């Protein structure tokens, strides 16, 4: 009777344990008479029965061992007798979690107009403001707007325009553009990008293709310190439940899998590196065959099974989800970082169900540029946007390969390519950024030869207008699209589809695509032979071509940094030093480079230094935060006291006003931050440790030993507290010796040449033979 009165479903565990089977069968027969629907409950922990060992290892790595019984089966195990009984239930299932299309968010502030009208009005106003209100640009603008409206993305552009405008109004530096979005005139008119697409021959279809409906994707760059301010504006405008972070999963890789499993399988640590090398060299499949009867087999089998499985949960570095509907009705949510909720689906799943993902990238280079702008009197963000693109000082610096600290241009190979290419125009900068990549860099010598005047011919005269700017070399994807348009009459949308398909080398499509291309080309009056050669050209360069929109955006970014370096070097260097402060090796390189250019790096100074590198004339002072064990919680109150009540007049004055702990005093003393008071480090440390605050108020000078610690102690302590030796450096005054002997530093040594070097031994180790003789 109790069973008769139960509503809904009865669940039971059906398959995991063989001992359950008879009980389940009896139960099914028993409830048949009551017409009660049955739900099969089966714990699924792995796909195949033999993978139970992988599951157990994963649980043990997580610190939660789960030993499976010998006869337990938590795999996807289909059992025909059970399936037959449950056939009606199985056939009745028709589940689709996301049947209705998820709507893109609506921009809320259109001032009473619909989104399309408002977007059109903003774009025309922007085009006029850019000084480009004439037919060529109006035609392109109207074309783009019609495509955007037809695809339903009016609100998308308004949303991006709004938060970019918010950033600009709040003096937050915004990158000039990124990726294919630079090919959109609408983006330029709205101030989303700072690149004129018509000036550089950029194509809208490379960004938004009417022949291939995909979501628009405008990535936006902000200084990493300001990114959260912009995201917070978006959250406040659309509501907390309409904006969220995205979950990302860190996964097991070869090294992490092997190292984690070595402890579980009790593999000696001495063997681990060798096993990793074997896997990387030969791959799992070959090794599993090789070690089929060896103790390593299970270890390798489990390691292969773990690879790419989720290891830990983190937050997507840039992506934010924006939804028209409340997100708690669409996806599972948890607490995220920076006051946002966080989806528990990852990015690909969120996009698959139709949610809008927008990337807000925090860029350290923009933080550096933002700092430079603040440090240069009379300079501004607006001034940066309008710098001349033909500055002779910039191109001389590029031709010299003097690009240390410049975005995308720091590597030795890139600097060498610049010296060989000798850029003279902004187009050269765009081209080298597109060419300096695996594959395309094979064309750099040809580009250079032709730039320097080596004669060449075009396969057909109609290629010249397309390839003239790159000396007949196909450098950009946009050139491939233009070739398809000219030689086969493709629309630019069709040309982009062709480019994508050819670059994927899909053998099943290539023959039919070639025939279609040749047929259309012949109809336009080209010979079949030329049509074949042009198609072969497209095929060859489809993988080589780089997105020109992306390259122009990168070139603009790099040029801006180069302009600041060429014209404001003393503001440039401290800001790039800020970016590498935790990388001592790179910081030392920067310090030496700055010194060659006449900018001397000084130790921290309690009356000048802040929480970042600052420069005064030809000196740059290390931050107080660069001192080991001293963070902003210590530094900011010191700087605030100094700004409010004036410079510190003496060591005692500093102690009285800031009341630092003994450990902070020691760090400041050994770093050299208190040297301006003219006292020895020994006296300051003994003074601070022997006298308390009341005593300091009544005694002007302590009678203590004014002698100093020895050089080696001071060198070691300076290295400990600021990571390098500035004052206590044997080489600080070695220039006369370098000049006298024409000596070079150790890192400049060449093979098969006799050269003088100057160095010091920091440690000596004597090695003896088995007989006890010194080697």
């Amino acid at each position: 009777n109790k069973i008769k009165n139960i509503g809904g479903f009865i669940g039971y565990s059906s398959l995991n344990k063989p001992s359950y089977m008879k009980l389940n069968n009896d139960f099914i027969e028993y409830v048949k008479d009551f017409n009660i629907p049955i739900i099969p409950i089966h714990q699924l922990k792995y796909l195949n029965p033999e993978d139970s060992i992988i599951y157990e290892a994963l649980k043990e790595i997580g610190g939660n061992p789960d030993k499976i019984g010998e006869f337990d089966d938590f795999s996807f195990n289909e059992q025909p007798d059970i399936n037959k009984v449950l056939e009606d239930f199985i056939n009745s299932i028709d589940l689709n979690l996301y049947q209705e299309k998820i709507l893109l968010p609506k921009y809320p502030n259109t001032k009473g107009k619909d989104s399309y009208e408002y977007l059109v009005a903003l774009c025309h106003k922007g085009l006029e403001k850019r000084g480009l209100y004439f037919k060529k640009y109006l035609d392109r603008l109207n074309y783009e707007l019609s495509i955007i409206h037809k695809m339903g993305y009016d609100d998308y552009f308004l949303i991006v325009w709004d938060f970019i405008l918010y950033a600009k109004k709040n003096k937050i530096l915004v990158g000039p553009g990124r990726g294919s979005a630079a090919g959109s005139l609408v983006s330029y008119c709205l101030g989303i990008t700072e690149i004129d697409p018509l000036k550089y021959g950029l194509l809208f279809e490379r960004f938004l293709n009417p022949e291939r409906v995909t979501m628009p994707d405008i990535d936006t760059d902000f200084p990493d310190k300001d990114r959260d301010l912009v995201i917070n504006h978006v959250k406040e405008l659309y509501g907390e439940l309409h904006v969220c972070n995205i979950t990302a999963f860190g996964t097991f890789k070869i090294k992490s899998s092997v190292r984690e499993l070595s402890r579980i399988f009790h593999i000696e640590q001495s063997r681990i590196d060798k096993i990793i090398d074997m896997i990387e060299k030969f791959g799992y499949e070959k090794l599993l065959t090789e070690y089929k009867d060896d103790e390593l087999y299970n270890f390798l089998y489990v390691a292969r099974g773990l690879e790419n499985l989720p290891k830990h949960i983190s937050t997507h570095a840039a992506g934010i989800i924006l939804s028209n509907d409340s997100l708690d009705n669409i996806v599972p949510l948890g607490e995220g970082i920076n006051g946002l909720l966080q989806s528990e689906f990852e990015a690909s799943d969120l996009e698959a169900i139709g949610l809008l993902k927008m990337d807000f990238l925090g860029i350290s280079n923009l933080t550096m540029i933002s700092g430079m702008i603040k440090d240069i009197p009379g300079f501004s963000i607006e001034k940066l946007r309008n710098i001349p693109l033909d500055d002779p000082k910039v191109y001389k610096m590029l031709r010299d390969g003097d690009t240390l600290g410049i975005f995308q241009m720091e590597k030795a190979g890139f600097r060498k390519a610049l010296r060989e290419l000798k850029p003279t125009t902004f187009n050269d900068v765009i081209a080298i950024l597109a060419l300096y990549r695996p594959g395309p860099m094979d064309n750099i010598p040809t580009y250079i030869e032709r730039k320097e005047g080596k004669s060449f011919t075009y396969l057909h005269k109609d290629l010249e207008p397309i390839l003239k700017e790159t000396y007949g070399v196909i450098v950009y994807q946009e050139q491939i699209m233009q070739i398809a348009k000219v030689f086969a009459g493709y629309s630019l949308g069709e040309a982009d589809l062709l480019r994508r398909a050819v670059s994927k080398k899909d053998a099943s499509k290539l023959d039919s695509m070639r025939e279609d291309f040749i047929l259309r080309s012949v109809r336009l009056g080209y010979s079949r032979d030329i049509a074949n050669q042009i198609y072969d050209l497209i095929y060859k360069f489809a993988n080589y071509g780089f997105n020109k929109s992306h390259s122009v955006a990168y070139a603009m970014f790099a040029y801006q940094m180069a302009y600041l370096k060429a014209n404001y070097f003393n503001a440039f260097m401290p800001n790039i030093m800020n970016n590498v402060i935790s990388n001592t090796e790179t910081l030392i390189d920067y310090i030496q480079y700055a010194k060659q250019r006449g900018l001397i790096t000084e130790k921290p100074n309690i009356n000048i230094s802040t929480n970042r590198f600052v420069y005064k004339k030809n000196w740059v002072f290390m931050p107080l935060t660069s001192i080991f064990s001293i963070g902003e919680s210590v530094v900011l109150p010191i700087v605030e006291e100094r700004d409010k009540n004036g410079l510190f007049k003496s060591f005692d004055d500093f102690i009285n006003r800031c009341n630092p702990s003994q450990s902070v005093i020691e760090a400041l003393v050994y770093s050299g931050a208190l040297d301006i008071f003219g006292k020895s480090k020994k006296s300051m440390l003994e003074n601070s440790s022997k006298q308390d605050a009341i005593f300091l108020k009544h005694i002007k000078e302590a009678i203590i030993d004014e002698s100093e610690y020895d050089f080696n102690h001071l060198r070691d302590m300076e290295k400990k507290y600021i990571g390098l030796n500035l004052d206590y450096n044997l080489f600080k005054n070695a220039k006369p010796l370098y000049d006298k002997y024409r000596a070079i530093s150790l890192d400049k040594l060449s093979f098969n040449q006799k050269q003088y070097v100057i160095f010091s031994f920091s440690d000596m180790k004597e090695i003896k033979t088995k007989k006890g003789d010194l080697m």
Side-chain angles (χ1 to χ4, degrees):
N1 286 334
K2 285 184 180 179
I3 290 178
K4 279 184 182 179
N5 294 328
I6 290 175
F9 300 92
I10 288 179
Y12 67 100
S13 181
S14 61
L15 307 176
N16 296 122
K17 292 178 180 287
S19 58
Y20 289 172
M21 295 306 296
K22 184 177 185 309
L23 177 63
N24 288 331
N25 289 329
D26 292 346
F27 183 72
I28 291 167
E29 289 299 319
Y30 182 73
V31 298
K32 265 184 184 177
D33 297 335
F34 301 105
N35 294 317
I36 296 172
I38 300 170
I39 294 179
I41 295 175
H42 172 60
Q43 292 186 61
L44 185 63
K45 298 184 178 183
Y46 40 86
L47 195 62
N48 305 306
E50 60 269 25
D51 289 341
S52 63
I53 187 174
I54 301 173
Y55 168 77
E56 288 184 356
L58 193 60
K59 294 290 285 185
E60 194 162 340
I61 287 170
N64 186 21
D66 185 4
K67 290 292 181 185
I68 296 171
E70 185 179 352
F71 300 106
D72 294 351
D73 186 1
F74 296 95
S75 67
F76 186 71
N77 187 350
E78 296 187 46
Q79 298 201 15
D81 53 338
I82 293 294
N83 287 349
K84 189 171 182 191
V85 173
L86 301 170
E87 190 171 358
D88 290 341
F89 172 77
I90 292 168
N91 291 336
S92 71
I93 296 172
D94 182 19
L95 177 65
N96 187 337
L97 290 176
Y98 298 99
Q99 289 178 330
E100 294 183 9
K101 184 179 178 183
I102 295 175
L103 297 174
L104 289 176
K106 298 285 290 180
Y107 178 66
N109 301 334
T110 56
K111 299 184 179 176
K113 298 183 179 182
D114 70 34
S115 296
Y116 178 64
E117 282 183 293
Y118 193 52
L119 178 64
V120 170
L122 287 174
C123 285
H124 280 264
K125 184 179 178 182
L127 190 64
E128 190 173 1
K129 189 178 176 182
R130 298 279 192 190
L132 298 171
Y133 208 79
F134 42 89
K135 189 176 186 308
K136 180 181 176 183
Y137 281 83
L138 280 168
D139 288 347
R140 169 73 171 259
L141 178 62
N142 291 331
Y143 165 71
E144 288 191 19
L145 286 167
S146 69
I147 298 298
I148 289 167
H149 183 58
K150 182 180 175 183
M151 297 176 82
Y153 297 140
D154 302 325
D155 285 288
Y156 176 88
F157 280 84
L158 291 174
I159 289 164
V160 180
W161 162 77
D162 173 81
F163 65 71
I164 294 285
L165 184 65
Y166 167 84
K168 289 179 175 179
K169 281 184 174 179
N170 287 275
K171 307 295 182 188
I172 296 171
L173 185 61
V174 182
R178 173 186 283 264
S180 303
S184 165
L185 183 60
V186 166
S187 295
Y188 185 54
C189 291
L190 293 173
I192 293 170
T193 65
E194 294 298 328
I195 292 157
D196 178 350
L198 276 73
K199 181 178 179 180
Y200 297 106
L202 309 182
L203 305 179
F204 178 68
E205 289 80 3
R206 181 62 186 80
F207 166 58
L208 206 57
N209 187 347
E211 311 279 342
R212 178 177 175 268
V213 178
T214 55
M215 292 280 277
D217 185 16
I218 300 178
D219 296 342
T220 47
D221 297 339
F222 305 99
D224 44 17
K225 65 183 180 62
D226 296 323
R227 170 183 178 267
D228 291 339
L229 295 174
V230 182
I231 294 173
N232 192 57
H233 162 75
V234 174
K235 184 185 84 170
E236 288 180 358
L237 183 59
Y238 297 95
E240 184 181 12
L241 286 172
H242 297 263
V243 182
C244 72
N245 285 313
I246 301 170
T247 286
F249 296 105
T251 56
F252 284 97
K253 300 302 179 189
I254 289 175
K255 290 180 181 177
S256 58
S257 302
V258 170
R259 293 193 192 286
E260 292 277 13
L261 289 175
S262 64
R263 146 177 85 78
I264 295 167
F265 280 82
H266 308 295
I267 304 287
E268 302 89 344
Q269 286 302 308
S270 58
R271 299 178 65 191
I272 295 305
D273 288 338
K274 188 175 180 182
I275 292 172
I276 290 170
D277 288 341
M278 286 167 50
I279 296 169
E280 289 178 337
K281 186 174 181 181
F282 301 110
Y284 281 112
E285 301 309 318
K286 185 174 181 179
L287 291 175
L288 285 168
T289 304
E290 192 80 20
Y291 287 89
K292 194 168 185 180
D293 301 316
D294 192 271
E295 59 170 340
L296 268 183
Y297 180 84
N298 279 351
F299 178 85
L300 293 167
Y301 182 85
V302 174
R304 182 187 64 176
L306 288 184
E307 193 167 353
N308 295 322
L309 286 180
K311 185 180 181 185
H312 59 263
I313 292 174
S314 61
T315 302
H316 192 287
I320 296 294
I321 291 295
L322 190 56
S323 170
N324 191 62
D325 299 320
S326 185
L327 283 165
D328 59 351
N329 292 326
I330 304 173
V331 292
L333 297 170
E335 285 189 19
I337 57 174
N338 301 322
L340 288 185
L341 295 168
Q342 180 159 313
S343 76
E344 295 186 8
F345 289 175
E346 62 180 345
S348 57
D349 293 328
L350 293 167
E351 290 180 296
I353 63 176
L355 284 166
L356 175 63
K357 171 177 160 285
M358 309 185 90
D359 284 331
F360 295 72
L361 293 106
I363 307 296
S364 61
N365 283 282
L366 279 176
T367 300
M368 288 187 270
I369 294 175
S370 188
M372 293 170 205
I373 291 170
K374 289 175 183 173
D375 288 344
I376 300 168
F379 207 76
S380 65
I381 293 175
E382 192 59 36
K383 201 166 182 179
L384 180 71
R385 291 195 196 109
N386 292 294
I387 58 174
L389 295 179
D390 57 356
D391 187 319
K393 284 185 280 187
V394 172
Y395 290 102
K396 182 184 185 308
M397 192 174 77
L398 296 179
R399 289 193 294 274
D400 292 341
D402 183 14
T403 51
L404 193 73
I406 305 297
F407 174 70
Q408 292 278 307
M409 295 184 172
E410 283 209 83
K411 289 183 179 176
F414 198 102
R415 299 205 301 267
K416 181 174 180 286
L418 282 171
R419 288 192 292 270
E420 291 172 351
L421 188 139
K422 300 179 179 66
T424 51
T425 66
F426 188 61
N427 277 335
D428 286 338
V429 181
I430 299 168
I432 191 66
L433 282 165
L435 285 167
Y436 193 78
R437 298 167 194 283
M441 66 171 57
D442 295 342
N443 296 317
I444 291 177
T446 304
Y447 185 97
I448 291 170
E449 287 172 356
R450 293 179 180 182
K451 175 178 161 60
E452 291 176 347
K454 183 177 180 180
S455 62
F456 65 94
T457 56
Y458 293 97
L459 188 60
H460 190 280
K461 63 181 178 60
D462 290 349
L463 286 172
E464 184 171 358
I466 301 169
L467 301 180
K468 186 176 180 180
E469 69 166 331
T470 53
Y471 308 100
V473 178
I474 295 180
V475 176
Y476 309 117
Q477 295 169 357
E478 287 85 345
Q479 289 173 318
I480 293 170
M481 292 166 64
Q482 288 167 323
I483 289 169
K485 180 184 179 184
V486 168
F487 284 88
Y490 281 44
S491 70
L492 287 171
E494 289 175 313
D496 187 49
L497 294 179
L498 172 72
R499 176 196 64 77
R500 288 171 185 270
V502 173
S503 68
K504 289 178 182 176
K505 302 288 188 280
D506 186 340
S508 63
K509 293 181 180 178
L510 288 177
D511 288 340
S512 61
M513 287 169 57
R514 176 186 286 273
E515 279 308 309
D516 179 63
F517 183 91
I518 290 169
L519 182 65
R520 294 172 71 160
S521 187
V522 169
R523 282 179 189 159
L524 289 177
Y526 295 101
S527 70
R528 190 172 183 85
D529 182 49
I530 282 293
N532 262 304
Q533 290 182 59
I534 295 295
Y535 185 85
D536 287 339
L537 192 69
I538 291 173
Y539 183 86
K540 178 182 177 183
F541 282 95
N543 273 346
Y544 279 59
F546 189 69
N547 180 350
K548 189 180 182 184
S549 294
H550 198 51
S551 197
V552 173
Y554 269 11
M556 188 68 74
F557 202 172
Y559 183 92
Q560 287 176 344
M561 291 196 78
Y563 179 87
L564 290 167
K565 180 177 179 179
N567 291 278
Y568 305 100
F569 183 79
N570 284 8
F572 177 87
M573 284 308 300
N575 282 283
I576 69 163
M577 287 178 177
N578 283 324
N579 193 52
V580 298
I581 196 163
S582 59
N583 186 333
T584 303
E585 193 175 328
T586 304
L587 180 59
I588 291 171
D589 288 342
Y590 282 8
I591 287 171
Q592 291 173 343
Y593 172 73
K595 185 177 179 181
Q596 292 166 11
R597 295 283 299 270
L599 183 63
I600 309 301
T601 301
E602 292 285 353
K603 63 205 171 195
N605 184 315
I606 200 70
N607 273 339
I608 296 174
S609 298
T610 64
N611 59 346
R612 54 195 292 264
F613 281 89
V614 295
Y615 78 95
K616 302 284 183 183
K617 296 184 179 178
N618 291 326
W619 292 274
V620 56
F621 292 86
M622 293 185 72
L624 293 172
T625 44
S626 68
I627 303 170
F628 173 71
S629 79
I630 292 188
E632 289 202 339
S633 61
V634 171
V635 171
L636 294 181
I638 290 174
V639 174
E640 185 181 354
E641 166 62 28
R642 189 180 72 201
D643 292 345
K644 184 178 178 182
N645 296 312
L647 300 180
F648 302 110
K649 296 180 178 63
S650 66
F651 175 71
D652 295 347
D653 182 40
F654 167 68
I655 298 294
N656 275 326
R657 287 163 58 183
C658 295
N659 193 28
S661 68
Q662 186 63 30
S663 63
V664 168
I665 294 171
E666 181 173 315
L668 290 170
V669 167
Y670 280 125
S671 70
L674 305 182
D675 285 359
I676 56 163
F677 300 133
K679 300 174 76 69
S680 71
K681 290 177 171 57
K682 187 175 183 181
S683 73
M684 285 189 282
L685 286 174
E686 292 189 3
N687 194 1
S688 64
S689 61
K690 287 180 179 177
Q691 299 169 176
D692 59 27
I694 297 173
F695 186 67
L696 281 170
K697 286 181 181 179
H698 298 286
I699 305 296
K700 286 186 177 180
E701 282 290 336
I703 303 170
I704 57 171
D705 181 8
E706 282 289 345
S707 64
E708 186 58 287
Y709 300 116
D710 66 56
F711 180 90
N712 288 340
H713 175 74
L714 293 174
R715 178 181 60 187
D716 292 346
M717 298 309 283
E718 184 183 51
K719 181 74 178 288
K720 173 185 174 180
Y721 281 106
I722 62 173
L724 50 97
N725 288 117
L726 287 175
D727 272 4
Y728 299 94
N729 185 333
L730 289 172
F731 301 93
K732 185 175 181 181
N733 299 311
K735 189 175 185 303
L737 286 172
Y738 277 101
D739 292 342
K740 179 178 179 181
Y741 293 102
R742 295 182 181 176
I744 62 171
S745 59
L746 282 169
D747 63 334
K748 299 291 192 300
L749 280 174
S750 303
F751 286 109
N752 302 319
Q753 289 187 6
K754 188 177 286 187
Q755 293 168 313
Y756 284 105
V757 293
I758 300 172
F759 58 91
S760 71
F761 291 100
S762 57
D763 186 42
M764 295 284 285
K765 182 179 180 183
E766 291 186 344
I767 301 174
K768 294 183 179 181
T769 66
K770 289 180 181 179
K771 293 180 180 179
D773 299 328
L774 283 175
M775 294 179 68

